Amino acid sequence: MAEDSSGSATPSGVHGRISTGVPGLDEVLCGGLTQDRLYLLEGTPGTGKTTLSLQFLLDGAARGERGLYVTLSENKDELCAAAASHGWSLDGIEIYELVNEFGLDPDSEQSILHPSEIELGETVRDVIARVDDLKPARVVFDSLSELRLLAQNPLRYRRQILALKQYFARRSCTVLMLDDRTSEPGDQQLHSIAHGVISLEQAPREFGSERRRLRIVKMRGIKFRGGYHDFALDTGGLTVFPRLVAAEHHATFDPTAASTGSAELDLLLGGGLVPGTNTLLIGPSGVGKTTTALGCMLAALERGESATYFLFDEGLATLLARSAMLNMNLSPHIEAGRLTITQIDPAELAPGEFATHVRHAVEKRRSRFVVIDSLNAYLHAMPGEEFLILQMHELLNYLNQQGVTTLLVLGQHGIIGDVQTDVDLSYLSDGILLFRFFEAKGEVRTAVSVVKSRVNAHERTIRELKLTSQGLRVGSALDDFQGVLTGLPSYRGRVALLPDDAPLGSQA
């Protein structure tokens, strides 16, 4: 939920809001930055401070506003090269180098190594003179670490920052000051001076790309979305993925149960799948979870609903080929735009980014049926992520409140007998469809049962499941068996098992 910032409120109507130019960041800020204020953008080297600040200036240029980039750390050529790597041109943005080639002679080098108060004052005056001359609407100051070196004394440093803040306060310009956190640990003096503080972080992982996230530490007078938000730094700049808050997303929908495409499976579920609920398909590898999910989704597609399938484990070509062999041809629905299959590489994905993909599917593509296959890859690829289960809980609540029918595939360890799950997700689910292998007549067969449903009076029987060239088949209740869920049942032989009908390969 959006949180109130600390500090005094800005009088209504005095200052408007401006966009940061960073996708997703304005949503975190609940509308953007307050105009004509000074902000601190902090983060260790490599977190994306320069890229974010360039996006801020480019957004202003696109709106006809003058922008000024004051640099003490990089020269103009380096900045232009960094912009070009994202496909940007800095034409129309003034770049002012406070240290140029003339500052590299021996005398100047000596003064840089042993700065004086005179040199610091001259640096600040140079910035002021340049702003007076250009009259920019947006200013980036990169970076404060060089200014800190020139000051040598914390009191002198703070005095100069205050002088800059007071100067900019009398001009109609919004200022980003970059800091690389080279100050003493716990030094909060910049936080107290700035109108707002945006903190960028990155953390390496044992496998996969770095995890990047940001946090709004402070923002005076406006609401903002608190906590950490994942972001990606790629060609084209930063993209922020706002933390999902399910309570902010409600929609009206018809909670009438819809068919799975199998009359027997509908009976087992107590009438079918209900919009606004999520169902966990759980069982060992090869037991038929994915194919059952595909069959249910295909029934929704044939009713005219749009669907999105998030594929973590299997290759897309393999999935489409196997579905076609089971008489579940997905290609026409993909070509018609009703079905989107998104292949996910979890090693390169943050939880916040995945949640944003799901939101895009629901809100932009209007998907009413979502399959996540499988949760194992999602959970295993991000073992260092804290509160991952809580994030999944928030995501499922969001899907339920949007009236989406959600299927979650979760694989278990083991084949017959003692079957185990890495993590217990049963409490997150509205319904649980349990799959088990069992032995009968010298064959390995599959049983399916519903062990939980929050919305339907479901059957408590155990039925046989078979995958054939005609698709999914569900048999009669196995009431002549004892111990089916253990995998080693005893059979009295009165109830006929499903006959063979060109069964196909492995049941994924």
Side-chain angles (χ1 to χ4, degrees):
M1 182 177 294
E3 299 177 11
D4 279 311
S5 64
S6 59
S8 58
T10 302
S12 176
V14 174
H15 292 279
R17 305 286 285 277
I18 62 171
S19 173
T20 60
V22 178
L25 184 53
D26 289 348
E27 183 179 341
V28 172
L29 293 167
C30 298
L33 298 170
T34 302
Q35 198 170 6
D36 304 338
R37 293 289 187 258
L38 185 144
Y39 298 91
L40 174 65
L41 178 61
E42 63 175 12
T44 55
T47 50
K49 300 185 300 299
T50 299
T51 303
L52 190 153
S53 59
L54 288 176
Q55 286 177 263
F56 171 69
L57 293 179
L58 288 167
D59 180 78
R63 300 170 190 272
E65 301 172 359
R66 286 189 173 182
L68 172 64
Y69 198 109
V70 180
T71 174
L72 286 85
S73 56
E74 294 183 271
N75 60 40
K76 183 174 181 178
D77 290 340
E78 291 172 326
L79 284 173
C80 289
S85 69
H86 293 290
W88 303 333
S89 170
L90 297 184
D91 293 343
I93 294 175
E94 185 74 17
I95 300 175
Y96 180 46
E97 301 176 66
L98 278 174
V99 179
N100 53 32
E101 66 272 15
F102 300 108
L104 299 179
D105 61 68
D107 293 335
S108 295
E109 184 178 353
Q110 187 69 14
S111 67
I112 292 173
L113 293 173
H114 302 281
S116 65
E117 188 168 5
I118 295 175
E119 185 176 13
L120 176 63
E122 289 177 348
T123 299
V124 173
R125 282 195 296 272
D126 286 344
V127 173
I128 291 173
R130 194 61 180 161
V131 172
D132 283 340
D133 181 55
L134 189 63
K135 294 181 175 57
R138 302 190 185 201
V139 175
V140 171
F141 193 95
D142 183 10
S143 74
L144 292 176
S145 58
E146 281 75 13
L147 204 62
R148 188 182 297 112
L149 288 173
L150 290 175
Q152 286 190 325
N153 183 297
L155 179 60
R156 186 185 305 157
Y157 172 61
R158 182 181 177 89
R159 186 191 307 144
Q160 292 298 329
I161 297 298
L162 280 170
L164 283 172
K165 179 185 177 182
Q166 292 168 4
Y167 165 76
F168 284 122
R170 296 190 297 268
R171 270 64 179 176
S172 296
C173 60
T174 308
V175 184
L176 286 186
M177 286 193 163
L178 279 53
D179 184 58
D180 61 9
R181 288 181 173 170
T182 54
S183 59
E184 292 296 325
D187 184 3
Q188 299 292 314
Q189 59 179 328
L190 287 177
H191 287 209
S192 66
I193 293 172
H195 185 80
V197 180
I198 302 174
S199 180
L200 306 182
E201 299 179 6
Q202 68 173 345
R205 298 190 300 162
E206 293 184 3
F207 183 81
S209 61
E210 300 88 352
R211 182 71 72 245
R212 289 184 165 90
R213 61 183 188 174
L214 65 80
R215 181 169 69 96
I216 309 300
V217 178
K218 159 189 171 180
M219 203 61 63
R220 288 194 181 117
I222 64 172
K223 291 183 177 181
F224 60 89
R225 193 182 300 276
Y228 285 102
H229 308 271
D230 293 319
F231 73 90
L233 176 57
D234 207 341
T235 302
L238 267 76
T239 301
V240 178
F241 309 107
R243 180 172 56 85
L244 179 61
V245 180
E248 298 176 356
H249 303 275
H250 293 274
T252 57
F253 59 92
D254 181 8
T256 302
S259 175
T260 62
S262 166
E264 294 79 10
L265 187 55
D266 290 345
L267 288 173
L268 196 59
L269 288 164
L273 296 172
V274 178
T277 65
N278 61 83
T279 303
L280 183 67
L281 281 62
I282 185 170
S285 177
V287 79
K289 303 182 299 297
T290 293
T291 305
T292 302
L294 287 171
C296 296
M297 183 182 69
L298 187 61
L301 290 168
E302 290 173 348
R303 288 194 299 269
E305 297 180 19
S306 294
T308 299
Y309 198 106
F310 292 102
L311 185 62
F312 282 83
D313 297 330
E314 193 172 358
L316 176 58
T318 304
L319 180 74
L320 293 177
R322 185 158 58 88
S323 301
M325 290 174 63
L326 290 168
N327 200 28
M328 299 178 181
N329 192 3
L330 303 177
S331 297
H333 299 287
I334 295 175
E335 293 168 2
R338 289 186 296 273
L339 172 62
T340 301
I341 301 179
T342 303
Q343 192 146 17
I344 300 292
D345 183 357
E348 302 296 321
L349 195 72
E353 185 173 359
F354 178 65
T356 300
H357 286 320
V358 174
R359 283 190 61 187
H360 180 82
V362 173
E363 297 170 18
K364 304 297 183 183
R365 295 199 298 268
R366 300 297 177 185
S367 293
R368 311 318 302 160
F369 200 103
V370 170
V371 181
I372 301 176
D373 183 9
S374 69
L375 289 176
N376 300 77
Y378 177 74
L379 297 171
H380 288 169
M382 292 175 273
E385 297 289 345
E386 296 184 30
F387 311 118
L388 192 60
I389 302 301
L390 289 178
Q391 293 187 56
M392 179 57 67
H393 182 270
E394 200 74 10
L395 179 62
L396 293 178
N397 278 345
Y398 162 79
L399 288 168
N400 286 358
Q401 292 175 19
Q402 290 290 307
V404 176
T405 304
T406 308
L407 297 185
L408 310 166
V409 177
L410 180 64
Q412 294 181 300
H413 299 299
I415 300 296
I416 289 179
D418 186 19
V419 180
Q420 298 179 344
T421 308
D422 287 331
V423 60
D424 183 15
L425 295 176
S426 59
Y427 78 98
L428 295 179
S429 304
D430 300 309
I432 299 177
L433 201 57
L434 179 65
F435 296 79
R436 283 289 182 267
F437 287 117
F438 70 98
E439 179 187 355
K441 294 185 177 181
E443 292 183 351
V444 177
R445 293 175 176 263
T446 301
V448 61
S449 59
V450 176
V451 296
K452 173 185 177 182
S453 178
R454 288 174 176 161
V455 293
N456 286 337
H458 63 91
E459 282 190 7
R460 292 188 174 272
T461 59
I462 302 172
R463 295 173 178 261
E464 186 184 5
L465 175 75
K466 186 178 285 288
L467 307 181
T468 73
S469 59
Q470 300 306 310
L472 197 70
R473 294 186 61 194
V474 178
S476 302
L478 300 174
D479 53 10
D480 281 343
F481 280 86
Q482 297 292 329
V484 172
L485 297 184
T486 68
L488 300 171
S490 59
Y491 177 49
R492 298 189 182 94
R494 292 196 303 266
V495 175
L497 298 175
L498 286 172
D500 288 336
D501 183 9
L504 297 179
S506 176
Q507 304 171 12

